[in-house]
Amino acid sequence: MATVENNIPPGEDPAPYHEPAHDPRRRDFINIAAVSFAGVGAVAIVLPLINQMNPSADVLAQSTTEIDISKIAPGQAIKSSFRKQPLFVRNLTPKEIGEANAVDVGSLRDPQTLAERTKAGKENWLITLGVCTHLGCVPLGAGEGENKGPFGGYFCPCHGSAYDTAGRIRQGPAPQNLHVPEYNFTSDTVVTVG
Amino acid sequence: MSFPWAKHYEPKQPLMRWLDEKLPLPRLVYNAIGAGYPVPRNLNYFWNFGVLAGAALVIQIVTGVVLAMHYAANGTVAFGSVESIMRDVNAGWFLRYAHANGASMFLAVVYIHIGRGLYYGSYKAPREMVWLLGVVIFLLMMATAFMGYVLPWGQMSFWGAQVITGFFSAIPLVGDTIRIWLLGGFAPDNAALNRFFSLHYLLPFVIAGVIILHIWALHIPGSNNPTGVDVKGEQDTVPFHPYYTAKDGVGVAVFFLIFATFVFFSPNLLGHPDNYIEANPLSTPAHIVPEWYFLPFYAILKSFTADFILPAKLWGVLAMFGSILLLFFLPWLDSSPVRSANYRPTYRWFLIVLVFDVLVLGYVGGAEASARNVMMGQIAAAYYFAHFLIILPLVSAAERPRPLPNSITEAVLSKHGGTAPTKTALAG
Amino acid sequence: MVRLISLVIGAGFVFVLALALFFTAKDAIQNPAPHTAEHEFHLHPEDINLSSAGWFGKFDRQQVQRGFQVYKEVCAACHSLKYVAFRDLQKIGYSEAEVKAIATQWVIEQPSVNPETGEPATRKNMPSDHFPSPFANEVAARAANANALPPDLSLMTKAREDGSNYVHALITGYRDQPAELLKKFPDAKTPEGLHYNPYFANLNIAMPPPLTSDGQVTYSDGTKATRDQMARDVAAFLTWTAEPNLEARHAAGLAAVIFLMVFIYLTWGAYQNVWREVKH
């Protein structure tokens, strides 16, 4: 170090870097403001980078599905598709409606009556997502000849969740009833879901 | 590093001490771009462009990874998937315009960075390896930029792929085989699009790796400076942080302003309208041109119109690749011991001519092939090769350089009015 | 040694280029490039000053809606708009119900599959659908248009140089071939079935004049539908279809530029602070 200092020409500062000598507060302010602005800018750029992973406009737009229910006889069900998810539309028989209404609602894991899960005057039309509320498998029971499980509704083969004729969870690991999407009857034979 | 007065990393907090023992990553950063790296105190704004190139690469990788989440590399849907990014993906238009213009910004910054190296002799001993790695980065960038331009699958994408892979068909005997191998077919199609996408995603990370080597090699001799004179002692340098982090901050801010102006107000200025027409293998656009950053090389390719022993097409391809590959030999073509062109009065003029020459080549590369333009291109291309292969070796041997300052500090002080006592001295 | 080799290679390249230059010059003198009609009679479109032009431009929604009406009633018969969806029309001021009505009443239906038989069929358009193409495929489009393919219009104003002005100029630019042209270039007579238009790259376009008379479209907002007005409106509409996010882009750009100006000022201040004591 000493030899290095000997090389310094006269009049030159041996150590060219310093702490600020005067008015340090104003200068600190600008330094801090510059760094903070860089931070704000970084956040402003990160937001669109995160937002781009949300569903795009074309995905959001395809969120209504029209279903013709005229050909579903009592006791039958169809699988349709809503937002790329399976949708069960089931025409309940009076016996199945009776079974659903006979259950003590207070004893259920996710207490709901059949009336709460269907439209007034159309209690025979049970429209639910075909997505098990446990981990998302498609339960059996909508197709012809499929295992409807011990409660006559739907049965999820993945982990054994059993749903009753109102699509309510009765046995197995699923925490909730099968979800009922928003829908309405545009006519006696057409349902618009979403 | 190699300067004995470099500051040493001394972690104060226990956590940082613990980390330093197990994984000295903060120490690495401190010595690379922190207070532990002494840098000549007289660097001008041209020395911002290395950091700017790094920033541009980060922008390209971040926006590129995000765009790849939405892009589909298949000829039937690629163009449509880009349109869906532009219209339906949240902020997709911003990401795509940022990526497209970011490529231009990256190349622009790198061209200035290369020009800085040429003018101030940064390619000379002891920094030859820095320069060689830089040329490798440049080649990788060109490959990446070309393959990225193919992905939107517009007309220019398609015909660009057709023409550039066509270069390889100029190779005698095996040319066509190589071209078909590159494309995975007889014309650009799904196979080519998919492999270009795969490589376009891979190469930026290779570039990042070579950049680490580039910086590593730089830190052994330390940075060059506008005088080209070696650092003689501590008074010649300042620590990278905070001095050059602050100066680079200004450069990055200005860079972002220019970048934002392109992205938000004229995002298609540097593009070509034909690339908004979906690729059509049965119809070539009337006037095909590469992106602006390839125009000088394209002009060199087009300038070779006469057969001489070899066919003109092969001459063109050889010359175009040669125009870049000759940069690898630059440190040995230039024998002058003086680095900075500021002290090389003759060579300096030739360098200034070279800058205009490359601009002329750029113009010719994009202009229609009229006789006047072709002749302009031929003269400009001849100067380009003459400059590097003939003028540079001869001038560097014959030239009498101006006297160099004894040290960086002396040069700085004489710029500020001789050795008169100064405020700095009083403060010290 | 390196330098010797470089001199040889350099001389080689320069020699070959000199040779090429000589032949180019010789050829240019012996066979001067013929002037072409395109070269002399092609016109650059004049500026129509759309409200969306410029750094802070915004769409004139009324005008874009009028342009949509022109597209619907005139252009849509031949030209597809495949990257635009009916739902997008909400961005130019139509309500959700209006968009639904436009979609269901659209003359050309959406291709689909008969759910009973699996045969190809069509169904009514929904807001989430893209505009259907008037022709099933390129072959059908060419067959119906004397082997000319009407291009998709979604991106037209970005796919042509100075596109917004080009659309207006092209639509209003039909005229008789100038006598001067025929005198100078007797071989350049517009072929049968094509139409002379100086704004088209090769002067002869297959598309017949689409707007033939004033009042071809009846605007509901009372604007007089002259040919020029209709061409301006459809240019405005196609500017929107090509760049629907233009307004968001301009707004974000303004914010970004103001932010960055302040940021430059601050970084400059910080730079001056840090270097205050050091000459450089």
Side-chain angles (χ1 to χ4, degrees):
Chain A
M1 279 302 266
T3 55
V4 168
E5 276 176 20
N6 289 343
N7 293 337
I8 299 168
E12 177 53 8
D13 179 359
Y17 35 93
H18 289 275
E19 296 305 311
H22 61 83
D23 197 7
R25 268 189 298 176
R26 188 184 153 270
R27 284 192 241 145
D28 281 351
F29 169 75
I30 287 201
N31 294 359
I32 292 166
V35 173
S36 324
F37 251 65
V40 172
V43 170
I45 290 172
V46 164
L47 286 178
L49 293 175
I50 294 171
N51 190 29
Q52 54 87 17
M53 293 202 356
N54 276 318
S56 56
D58 55 325
V59 173
L60 293 176
Q62 281 159 3
S63 54
T64 61
T65 305
E66 288 196 348
I67 299 163
D68 179 4
I69 56 171
S70 61
K71 297 201 174 67
I72 310 171
Q76 279 189 331
I78 60 159
K79 261 190 233 181
S80 184
S81 158
F82 169 62
R83 289 183 179 164
K84 308 269 172 186
Q85 292 172 299
L87 182 78
F88 293 163
V89 182
R90 185 162 178 166
N91 191 349
L92 299 174
T93 60
K95 178 166 167 278
E96 288 171 326
I97 295 173
E99 279 171 17
N101 287 334
V103 177
D104 171 18
V105 172
S107 70
L108 293 172
R109 187 177 301 166
D110 183 5
Q112 266 184 323
T113 63
L114 179 64
E116 284 166 356
R117 295 171 58 73
T118 51
K119 298 282 177 199
K122 306 255 184 202
E123 275 88 358
N124 59 323
W125 290 107
L126 177 68
I127 299 177
T128 61
L129 288 183
V131 180
C132 180
T133 57
H134 180 219
L135 292 169
C137 296
V138 181
L140 301 173
E144 205 73 44
E146 283 181 0
N147 177 11
K148 294 186 175 178
F151 299 92
Y154 299 105
F155 176 74
C156 181
C158 291
H159 306 97
S161 292
Y163 298 87
D164 66 12
T165 53
R168 295 174 298 198
I169 180 65
R170 296 289 291 275
Q171 185 184 310
Q176 287 168 334
N177 302 334
L178 289 179
H179 289 306
V180 177
E182 272 188 37
Y183 66 91
N184 54 50
F185 285 86
T186 23
S187 72
D188 273 353
T189 57
V190 177
V191 181
T192 305
V193 184
Chain B
M1 286 291 146
S2 40
F3 298 120
W5 59 89
K7 282 201 204 172
H8 288 281
Y9 179 64
E10 282 158 15
K12 293 188 185 70
Q13 290 161 319
L15 178 68
M16 296 307 278
R17 272 203 297 274
W18 181 86
L19 186 61
D20 192 44
E21 279 172 24
K22 318 294 174 197
L23 178 73
L25 189 63
R27 176 180 295 270
L28 184 77
V29 173
Y30 183 90
N31 289 332
I33 51 169
Y37 179 47
V39 187
R41 58 192 286 185
N42 61 337
L43 302 189
N44 59 30
Y45 280 105
F46 282 109
W47 265 262
N48 282 119
F49 285 83
V51 163
L52 295 183
L57 177 67
V58 171
I59 291 170
Q60 288 308 88
I61 289 182
V62 169
T63 53
V65 165
V66 161
L67 286 170
M69 296 180 189
H70 303 282
Y71 172 74
N74 181 302
T76 48
V77 290
F79 189 86
S81 76
V82 173
E83 271 315 302
S84 125
I85 289 171
M86 292 296 289
R87 291 160 193 273
D88 290 336
V89 171
N90 299 295
W93 59 268
F94 167 68
L95 298 165
R96 196 257 170 153
Y97 277 151
H99 196 70
N101 285 285
S104 284
M105 296 299 288
F106 193 8
L107 267 301
V109 162
V110 162
Y111 279 131
I112 296 173
H113 189 62
I114 294 173
R116 193 284 318 273
L118 281 178
Y119 187 89
Y120 293 110
S122 303
Y123 51 88
K124 293 191 190 190
R127 296 183 187 82
E128 303 98 316
M129 186 51 78
V130 186
W131 175 261
L132 297 182
L133 290 166
V135 179
V136 170
I137 293 170
F138 180 47
L139 285 170
L140 288 168
M141 280 177 65
M142 293 176 91
T144 311
F146 155 64
M147 287 189 278
Y149 195 56
V150 175
L151 301 184
W153 211 235
Q155 276 286 67
M156 282 295 172
S157 301
F158 181 92
W159 293 100
Q162 177 87 333
V163 168
I164 293 196
T165 54
F167 295 163
F168 294 90
S169 68
I171 302 169
L173 302 176
V174 292
D176 278 322
T177 316
I178 292 178
R179 177 169 181 274
I180 289 168
W181 172 75
L182 282 172
L183 288 174
F186 303 100
D189 199 5
N190 287 339
L193 189 54
N194 257 305
R195 66 190 58 180
F196 284 3
F197 182 45
S198 169
L199 293 173
H200 181 72
Y201 204 121
L202 168 71
L203 287 186
F205 297 98
V206 178
I207 292 175
V210 184
I211 285 175
I212 289 173
L213 301 182
H214 186 66
I215 296 172
W216 187 5
L218 172 70
H219 279 51
I220 290 165
S223 300
N224 188 22
N225 68 84
T227 64
V229 174
D230 284 330
V231 168
K232 302 238 165 52
E234 188 178 2
Q235 75 285 354
D236 286 344
T237 66
V238 292
F240 189 88
H241 179 75
Y243 288 92
Y244 285 108
T245 40
K247 192 166 184 172
D248 285 335
V250 181
V252 168
V254 173
F255 170 80
F256 270 102
L257 181 67
I258 297 169
F259 186 32
T261 311
F262 275 108
V263 169
F264 293 113
F265 296 112
S266 42
N268 294 309
L269 183 70
L270 301 171
H272 197 289
D274 277 325
N275 225 27
Y276 280 110
I277 303 170
E278 192 170 0
N280 179 356
L282 302 181
S283 146
T284 310
H287 186 60
I288 64 167
V289 285
E291 288 278 79
W292 68 266
Y293 37 79
F294 291 142
L295 289 177
F297 303 104
Y298 191 54
I300 290 177
L301 175 87
K302 291 197 291 185
S303 291
F304 286 80
T305 52
D307 297 344
F308 176 71
I309 303 175
L310 303 175
K313 177 178 170 182
L314 182 55
W315 272 112
V317 172
L318 283 177
M320 195 189 61
F321 285 111
S323 67
I324 302 160
L325 296 181
L326 60 80
L327 296 176
F328 279 116
F329 300 93
L330 203 55
W332 297 279
L333 294 177
D334 185 351
S335 61
S336 171
V338 177
R339 295 197 188 96
S340 170
N342 279 346
Y343 302 96
R344 301 180 64 186
T346 319
Y347 177 63
R348 189 162 178 263
W349 280 112
F350 283 110
L351 254 188
I352 291 169
V353 173
L354 179 74
V355 172
F356 283 103
D357 185 67
V358 171
L359 293 178
V360 169
L361 282 173
Y363 166 77
V364 171
E368 60 172 338
S370 67
R372 185 191 69 124
N373 287 337
V374 171
M375 285 158 71
M376 249 164 69
Q378 284 161 340
I379 294 167
Y383 180 79
Y384 182 92
F385 288 106
H387 176 93
F388 286 107
L389 298 174
I390 301 172
I391 296 170
L392 177 62
L394 295 182
V395 166
S396 60
E399 178 178 52
R400 266 183 63 127
R402 288 171 48 205
L404 291 173
N406 288 318
S407 73
I408 291 170
T409 303
E410 187 194 283
V412 169
L413 293 181
S414 68
K415 190 174 81 180
H416 286 273
T419 51
T422 60
K423 198 171 128 228
T424 319
L426 294 175
Chain C
M1 191 61 192
V2 173
R3 267 161 256 154
L4 198 67
I5 296 171
S6 98
L7 286 179
V8 172
I9 294 175
F13 276 130
V14 171
F15 174 73
V16 174
L17 280 167
L19 207 65
L21 179 66
F22 170 74
F23 284 118
T24 311
K26 195 174 138 205
D27 191 50
I29 293 164
Q30 287 175 347
N31 316 303
H35 273 263
T36 58
E38 288 107 285
H39 242 107
E40 269 183 51
F41 288 87
H42 182 260
L43 296 179
H44 194 82
E46 57 269 30
D47 208 336
I48 56 167
N49 292 315
L50 285 181
S51 65
S52 54
W55 281 31
F56 304 111
K58 282 187 162 65
F59 294 116
D60 174 350
R61 280 179 172 55
Q62 280 295 317
Q63 185 179 28
V64 175
Q65 288 193 8
R66 290 198 302 269
F68 169 61
Q69 197 186 342
V70 177
Y71 169 76
K72 184 172 87 172
E73 295 178 20
V74 182
C75 320
C78 300
H79 290 279
S80 59
L81 198 64
K82 61 182 171 183
Y83 298 112
V84 184
F86 287 101
R87 63 185 154 82
D88 291 328
L89 294 174
Q90 274 182 258
K91 293 187 207 151
I92 55 169
Y94 289 104
S95 71
E96 201 178 333
E98 285 170 319
V99 168
K100 187 150 194 202
I102 290 169
T104 45
Q105 288 159 21
W106 198 257
V107 179
I108 302 153
E109 294 204 321
Q110 206 57 228
S112 78
V113 171
N114 184 320
E116 309 285 317
T117 63
E119 296 284 319
T122 59
R123 61 164 171 79
K124 286 204 180 309
N125 292 288
M126 294 196 288
S128 60
D129 287 325
H130 283 216
F131 281 86
S133 170
F135 302 105
N137 51 50
E138 189 182 326
V139 179
R142 285 189 186 277
N145 289 285
N147 202 31
L149 177 67
D152 183 81
L153 293 183
S154 320
L155 285 162
M156 189 48 74
T157 54
K158 285 202 293 196
R160 296 289 182 276
E161 206 70 59
D162 199 9
S164 304
N165 297 330
Y166 171 80
V167 167
H168 166 263
L170 188 84
I171 294 175
T172 53
Y174 289 87
R175 61 195 68 168
D176 291 333
Q177 207 168 14
E180 195 194 345
L181 187 153
L182 288 173
K183 211 169 82 192
K184 264 183 146 171
F185 304 99
D187 297 340
K189 185 163 168 42
T190 300
E192 197 61 38
L194 298 186
H195 309 268
Y196 182 78
N197 192 324
Y199 298 99
F200 193 66
N202 71 9
L203 306 182
N204 299 307
I205 187 170
M207 173 170 74
L211 298 176
T212 46
S213 60
D214 292 350
Q216 193 168 344
V217 165
T218 310
Y219 286 141
S220 58
D221 66 355
T223 308
K224 201 158 171 290
T226 61
R227 281 175 63 224
D228 183 71
Q229 184 65 43
M230 290 186 284
R232 276 168 197 272
D233 293 348
V234 85
F237 173 67
L238 293 179
T239 306
W240 171 75
T241 61
E243 188 77 4
N245 292 307
L246 176 133
E247 290 181 357
R249 175 157 66 73
H250 285 172
L254 186 62
V257 164
I258 291 172
F259 176 87
L260 287 168
M261 298 269 208
V262 178
F263 187 48
I264 290 174
Y265 170 77
L266 290 174
T267 52
W268 174 257
Y271 164 57
Q272 295 294 326
N273 282 346
V274 169
W275 284 82
R276 183 172 294 264
E277 310 293 336
V278 183
K279 287 217 176 65
H280 56 286

